[in-house]
Amino acid sequence: MKSLLLATDLSSRSERALLRAASLVRQFDCPWFILHVVDSDQPQLRVELEVEQIRRDLEARLGEFTERAGRAPEIWVEAGDPAPRIAECARWGDIDLLVMGVHRRNALRDVFVGTTLERVVRTCEKPVLVVNREPESSYRDLVLALDLSPTSARAVRAAKALGLMDGARCRAVHAFEPFAKVMLMNAGIATPALDDHLTGEERNARLNLMAFLDEQGLLALVGEQRVEEGLPMTVLRRVMADSPPDLLVLGTRGMGGIKRVLIGSVADAALREFECDILAVPPGRD
């Protein structure tokens, strides 16, 4: 990891993200930046006063930030629409990782638009580390949620390049849905034949997962491969119930608006539901 950006809304939730960002900076000895965006949807004078006050408040904590991370951050206070402004700063700041905490929710608005965090994940071209827990140590147990798509490949490449997999227990999870299961059941196929079909589909899914990990150069790093029948979120819920990780790694597809509401998003569901930290890697641009 060469550099990171912490985007904070100055809430207690963001304090956990601050602690994780400082821990990563100390671990990787990299430059870091702290960003707060003042919502510009208010009177201009109020925006200007708020920008200056928050800048003073953050600069007053510079000694604390430096002590925690082992090096001083650069402070950025900007005005604008928070989600696109955060994504823009991550882009022109040439950072490797954006770190954020969970945000307040507005039930009706979030159905169609999403929280600031979810909007950033859908629009930012950089990996986004969502911090839910106060850090106790470096990440030691990672779950890689893989659908074997280019999106998954980008996500695991990002986790590896950032150094988050180094020295950690890494588990790959892949959900598969047997293509012909429903047709066979509706056709009244005997149970033994149906079981044979499911066994064959699971075997193919395992082979495909191994081929994917080999292609990404991860076979030696991934110690456990969990392949289960079911929808991705259903399988991930089982994993979280059985043995929750420190960090869940997944790719996102950047869907927005009505399409996201109608189709749904595993990333959105994971961000809303799971309590572990999440590395969400948007499609971005290679």
Side-chain angles (χ1 to χ4, degrees):
M1 191 181 306
K2 297 179 181 177
S3 60
L4 67 81
L5 170 64
L6 167 70
T8 175
D9 65 359
L10 307 179
S11 67
S12 59
R13 296 174 296 277
S14 283
E15 284 298 302
R16 293 192 289 268
L18 166 65
L19 294 175
R20 174 58 71 183
S23 174
L24 289 170
V25 170
R26 186 173 288 278
Q27 179 182 352
F28 293 101
D29 190 25
C30 63
W32 66 310
F33 310 86
I34 297 179
L35 167 69
H36 176 78
V37 177
V38 174
D39 195 333
S40 59
D41 188 18
Q42 54 184 328
Q44 182 62 28
L45 178 59
R46 181 174 178 178
V47 170
E48 293 175 359
L49 291 174
E50 195 170 336
V51 166
E52 289 308 311
Q53 181 61 56
I54 291 172
R55 190 188 309 278
R56 287 196 295 269
D57 291 346
L58 288 173
E59 288 177 347
R61 298 182 63 188
L62 197 57
E64 173 197 341
F65 300 150
T66 303
E67 182 178 359
R68 289 189 180 279
R71 61 189 300 165
E74 186 173 326
I75 304 295
W76 297 347
V77 182
E78 304 282 335
D81 184 351
R85 191 61 175 156
I86 289 169
E88 181 183 359
C89 289
R91 183 171 60 253
W92 58 250
D94 194 27
I95 56 99
D96 295 323
L97 179 67
L98 174 61
V99 182
M100 298 180 68
V102 292
H103 283 212
R104 298 183 185 92
R105 300 187 181 281
N106 179 316
L108 181 60
R109 179 175 182 273
D110 291 348
V111 169
F112 292 95
V113 180
T115 63
T116 297
L117 169 62
E118 290 163 352
R119 293 167 64 203
V120 169
V121 169
R122 291 197 299 272
T123 58
C124 184
E125 297 176 4
K126 305 291 185 177
V128 181
L129 177 63
V130 182
V131 179
N132 283 296
R133 296 175 176 170
E134 187 169 324
E136 298 178 354
S137 64
S138 59
Y139 292 121
R140 297 175 179 173
D141 185 9
L142 277 63
V143 162
L144 314 176
L146 305 176
D147 63 5
L148 313 188
S149 68
T151 301
S152 280
R154 180 178 172 84
V156 293
R157 287 199 303 267
K160 183 179 179 182
L162 289 167
L164 298 176
M165 299 174 70
D166 296 347
R169 174 195 183 197
C170 297
R171 296 179 277 156
V173 176
H174 175 51
F176 75 97
E177 298 177 70
F179 175 72
K181 179 180 178 180
V182 175
M183 291 188 294
L184 292 174
M185 292 176 66
N186 290 338
I189 301 298
T191 299
L194 183 58
D195 289 343
D196 288 345
H197 171 69
L198 296 179
T199 299
E201 289 292 291
E202 181 177 350
R203 181 174 60 251
N204 289 336
R206 290 187 181 280
L207 291 173
N208 290 336
L209 176 58
M210 289 185 64
F212 176 87
L213 293 172
D214 187 36
E215 183 179 336
Q216 303 305 320
L218 295 176
L219 270 179
L221 294 177
V222 177
E224 179 183 332
Q225 300 171 29
R226 183 163 173 172
V227 176
E228 293 191 14
E229 177 192 353
L231 295 171
M233 275 302 295
T234 302
V235 173
L236 281 176
R237 288 187 185 105
R238 292 179 201 143
V239 172
M240 294 298 165
D242 293 345
S243 180
D246 300 326
L247 180 66
L248 171 64
V249 178
L250 48 75
T252 72
R253 301 185 187 281
M255 292 188 300
I258 295 298
K259 183 177 181 182
R260 180 177 62 89
V261 173
L262 296 177
I263 298 176
S265 163
V266 172
D268 278 357
L271 290 171
R272 292 169 183 261
E273 184 171 334
F274 297 143
E275 297 182 355
C276 65
D277 290 2
I278 298 173
L279 179 68
V281 183
R285 298 175 183 173
D286 287 319

